[in-house]
Amino acid sequence: MDDDPTNQFTALYDRHYRSVLGYVLLRAEQAAAEDVVSETFLIAWRRFHDLPDRPLPWLLGTARNLLRKHHHSRAHDVVLMDRIATLSVVGPPVDSVAEAVQARETALSALAQMSERDIEALVLTVWHGLSPAEAAKVTGGSRAAFAVRLHRARKRLATSLQETSTKPASSRYAPLTP
Amino acid sequence: MKTTDEIDEQFAAMRPAGLDKVTAESHHRRRNADITRAFREPQTAVRRRTAARPRLVVAGLAVAALAVGAVVLPDAIGGSGAETPHSTVAAPPAAHLDARSFLLASAATAERATETEGAYWYTSVRTFEPIRHAWPDSEAGQEQKGKREKLPYRASVAHTQESWTARSGGARSRTITGQDVKVTFGTPADETAWKKAGEPKLWPFTRAVNDNDMPIKWTVGAHGMSTDELRKLPQEEAELLAELQRLHKTERPEDWATPPSFNDYVWWTAADLLAGPLTPETRGALYRVLAQQDGMQVERVKDPLGRAGVAISHTTDEGNLTARLTVNESSSELLAYESQADGAAEPLVMAYQAMGWADSIDTRPGG
C-alpha cells in the first residue's frame, strides 16, 4: 500500500467521488452539485489526518452541510423526489420500453407519497450502504431517531408500492422516452 | 407484508440508472482539476477547536491554530544563519518604538513604492509547523488513518513552497511544494524516543510541482477573491476600512470555529492580504487601518530566517490566539506571519523569503 498522502487522497477521490456526487445530485443541479463535491474533497484533503476509518459517511455529511449552506442562498429547493424523476430520464436501454415506463411510474408514484426525510433515510442505507449509526451521523440526528425514521420509511414505501401497483398507471408523470 | 429485505431491494431498484453514467462522466471530467486544486491547499495540521482561523488560502497561505513552546531548529539553510520557528527578540531598541507610529511610517513607505505588474504573483514561503502524527508504514494502508495517535515526542518540520499565481484568471498557475524539507526534534531526548519507536516517517510530502488551470482565489478572512478583486480593493484608508467591515459582516459563521470580532478580523485579513498582490496604495491604506487597532505589542526582532524586522503582535479578544506580523522596517514588506494558540504545543510560522511580480511561470521576480 502506498503511503504517500497524495496517492492516498487520489485513491479516496477515485473510490468515493461517484457516490458523493450521486448523493448530492439528488439535491442540486449538476453544476452546483459538482462544485459541492469539489469543495467536499477539498475539505477532506485539508483534514486528511482526521478522516475516520470509513470516510464515506463523513464525506456525505460534509457534502450535506455544504448543500444546506448553498440552499440558503437560493430561492428554491430542489426536492429529492423531483431529482430522482429527472435523473431517471437517462436510463439504459431496456427490453420493453412500455414495461420500463410502467415500472418507473409505479416507483415515482410511490416515492411521491413519501416525505423527503423518509426517502433520504432509504437513500443513505440502501443506495449508499450506510449503517443506521453512520446515516444518523450524516443527517445529524440520534441513532435511535434514525432507526425509527428508517422503519417508518420502509413501511410507507411498502404501503405506497402496494397501492400504486393496484391502480392504473397515473398520468401524474408524463411518460418519458428512455 | 413484505420483509425488510424485499422493501430494500425494491428501493435499490428505484435508484435512477442515469446516476451511474452522469457520475462516471463527471468523475472523469473533474478529477484532474479537483485533485490539483486540493493539493495546492495546505493540510490543517490541527483540528480547529476554538482558534479563530478560518479556512485557508487556495493560493497557499497556510494557517492553523497554534501554540506555545520553544523548539529550536538548529540547522542552517542557505548558510544564512539559524532557523528558529520563533522570532527572537533583538537587541533592546535604541529608540522608543510604538506600534501606531511604526505602522503609519510603514504606510508611507508602502505608498511610495512603485511596482511593475507582471503576469504572475510570486511568493516563496518557508513554513515551520509542529508534526502531529507519524505517517503510517507502507503496509498499514489508508484504512488505518484516523487511528494515528499523537506523537509521544516533539518534532517539527520546515518546508518551502513557491507559487506563481497567474494575474489573468484563465491562465495556468503553479506551486512547487515540499522543498527543502527538514524535520527536527524538540530535544535530543525527543529524537531518541523517535528512534526507539522505530523511526516512523514523520513527514511524507516531498517536492511536487502542481499546475492548476483554474482561476485561483485568494482567501481574505474566509472569502475568496480573485487577483483582480484584490487589485481593486480601496486605496484610501476610510474606504478600505468600510470594505473590511463589509467583508466581516458577510462572513458565514459556519466558516469559523468562533466568529471573530472586527478587531480580530482586521488582523486575519491583514495577514492574508499583505502576502498578496495588493497595489502599493492599498498596502499603505491597510497599514493605516492596522494603525487604528487597539491592543498591539511591538518589538524589534529577528524573524525565523534571521532577518531583522519589527514585530506587531495582537492577541484575540478571547485571548486564545496571538498573531504576529513581522515587517521589514525599511521596505514595509511582510517578512513573517506567526500564530500561536494558547495551550497548544508549538507555533505555526510562515516566513516569506521573496514575493513580487514575475514575468513567466518559470522565473522569479527580477529573474
Side-chain angles (χ1 to χ4, degrees):
Chain A
M1 180 62 72
D2 196 329
D3 65 346
D4 181 333
T6 58
N7 291 341
Q8 288 183 6
F9 176 79
T10 305
L12 176 84
Y13 184 93
D14 287 342
R15 186 184 297 178
H16 295 300
Y17 181 91
R18 282 159 289 191
S19 299
V20 180
L21 180 63
Y23 175 69
V24 175
L25 271 174
L26 299 177
R27 297 277 193 178
E29 303 299 339
Q30 184 154 350
E34 287 177 349
D35 286 347
V36 164
V37 178
S38 185
E39 182 75 11
T40 301
F41 278 99
L42 194 66
I43 296 171
W45 169 250
R46 280 195 212 112
R47 303 196 181 158
F48 203 57
H49 310 265
D50 295 330
L51 292 195
D53 290 349
R54 283 214 350 124
L56 183 61
W58 183 91
L59 290 166
L60 295 177
T62 302
R64 192 177 190 272
N65 285 338
L66 289 170
L67 270 171
R68 205 161 39 81
K69 285 194 234 168
H70 186 71
H71 279 249
H72 280 303
S73 59
R74 291 180 55 160
H76 63 282
D77 260 18
V78 179
V79 179
L80 262 181
M81 172 59 224
D82 289 346
R83 290 299 293 156
I84 292 174
T86 313
L87 289 162
S88 300
V89 176
V90 200
V94 286
D95 294 340
S96 156
V97 171
E99 205 175 279
V101 169
Q102 175 64 56
R104 189 170 167 279
E105 284 234 349
T106 305
L108 291 177
S109 307
L111 290 181
Q113 295 167 41
M114 296 168 65
S115 75
E116 270 198 68
R117 288 163 72 81
D118 287 351
I119 297 174
E120 185 181 40
L122 286 164
V123 165
L124 290 172
T125 49
V126 180
W127 291 359
H128 291 282
L130 267 52
S131 71
E134 289 172 333
K137 246 180 206 162
V138 172
T139 56
S142 77
R143 187 183 171 157
F146 184 86
V148 169
R149 196 207 294 183
L150 181 61
H151 175 73
R152 200 180 51 202
R154 284 185 174 128
K155 226 170 127 181
R156 287 199 181 138
L157 178 64
T159 312
S160 52
L161 278 172
Q162 187 86 33
E163 282 170 6
T164 47
S165 60
T166 55
K167 282 189 220 156
S170 83
S171 57
R172 179 166 174 177
Y173 296 96
L176 293 157
T177 318
Chain B
M1 194 69 201
K2 287 178 162 58
T3 67
T4 298
D5 283 350
E6 280 168 346
I7 298 165
D8 285 359
E9 216 168 275
Q10 277 192 293
F11 188 74
M14 290 180 184
R15 186 172 180 279
L19 267 182
D20 289 335
K21 194 172 162 188
V22 170
T23 55
E25 181 278 326
S26 169
H27 174 243
H28 181 71
R29 180 166 41 78
R30 303 271 300 205
R31 182 179 189 272
N32 201 23
D34 278 358
I35 291 175
T36 313
R37 180 174 167 230
F39 291 165
R40 283 183 66 100
E41 196 136 332
Q43 291 181 309
T44 312
V46 181
R47 194 198 298 254
R48 270 203 330 274
R49 293 186 183 87
T50 56
R53 267 323 290 198
R55 313 178 302 153
L56 309 182
V57 181
V58 172
L61 300 185
V63 185
L66 303 186
V68 203
V71 172
V72 176
L73 304 178
D75 299 302
I77 54 156
S80 63
E83 282 189 311
T84 72
H86 289 287
S87 296
T88 47
V89 179
H96 175 70
L97 195 59
D98 103 279
R100 192 154 294 172
S101 316
F102 172 74
L103 287 165
L104 290 175
S106 297
T109 307
E111 285 154 359
R112 277 196 306 272
T114 55
E115 64 165 1
T116 309
E117 202 177 292
Y120 298 87
W121 181 256
Y122 170 88
T123 61
S124 170
V125 59
R126 188 149 181 85
T127 301
F128 303 79
E129 55 187 303
I131 295 173
R132 308 278 301 171
H133 308 281
W135 290 81
D137 292 334
S138 333
E139 63 269 22
Q142 61 180 21
E143 294 303 328
Q144 289 301 310
K145 76 180 139 33
K147 288 197 170 156
R148 261 170 261 149
E149 285 171 15
K150 204 171 165 237
L151 284 187
Y153 43 85
R154 282 196 351 212
S156 306
V157 63
H159 53 91
T160 296
Q161 169 172 330
E162 291 181 282
S163 8
W164 287 259
T165 305
R167 171 71 177 85
S168 110
R172 169 169 297 187
S173 294
R174 172 175 294 170
T175 58
I176 306 180
T177 54
Q179 303 184 72
D180 304 321
V181 174
K182 188 162 295 198
V183 172
T184 47
F185 296 92
T187 63
D190 288 323
E191 183 164 7
T192 306
W194 169 72
K195 283 185 175 150
K196 269 198 185 145
E199 306 194 1
K201 182 176 275 201
L202 293 179
W203 192 256
F205 301 95
T206 52
R207 186 180 184 277
V209 179
N210 315 291
D211 284 342
N212 197 320
D213 290 327
M214 59 193 283
I216 300 304
K217 296 271 192 188
W218 298 87
T219 295
V220 179
H223 293 283
M225 278 193 186
S226 67
T227 300
D228 253 350
E229 289 169 317
L230 223 55
R231 302 285 294 168
K232 285 180 185 150
L233 283 171
Q235 304 193 340
E236 298 295 332
E237 179 191 341
E239 289 164 29
L240 183 62
L241 180 66
E243 175 64 8
L244 292 176
Q245 282 164 340
R246 187 189 70 79
L247 289 169
H248 180 240
K249 270 196 201 122
T250 53
E251 285 287 348
R252 298 179 304 189
E254 54 267 42
D255 287 336
W256 298 77
T258 312
S261 68
F262 181 67
N263 195 25
D264 292 347
Y265 188 70
V266 167
W267 276 86
W268 306 134
T269 50
D272 293 332
L273 290 169
L274 287 173
L278 298 184
T279 61
E281 293 82 3
T282 301
R283 192 177 298 268
L286 182 57
Y287 278 122
R288 291 185 194 284
V289 171
L290 280 176
Q292 301 312 317
Q293 304 306 306
D294 294 324
M296 293 178 282
Q297 306 288 319
V298 62
E299 59 192 347
R300 286 204 165 80
V301 299
K302 296 264 192 195
D303 90 341
L305 299 178
R307 301 171 295 187
V310 173
I312 311 281
S313 313
H314 164 82
T315 299
T316 53
D317 292 351
E318 291 179 335
N320 59 350
L321 194 84
T322 298
R324 173 141 92 163
L325 295 169
T326 302
V327 174
N328 180 323
E329 198 166 0
S330 56
S331 71
S332 84
E333 284 169 336
L334 178 66
L335 294 176
Y337 169 76
E338 297 171 46
S339 145
Q340 199 162 315
D342 216 18
E346 286 167 32
L348 172 94
V349 180
M350 304 180 67
Y352 291 89
Q353 296 176 306
M355 63 173 87
W357 291 106
D359 292 331
S360 66
I361 203 165
D362 46 16
T363 57
R364 298 182 173 83

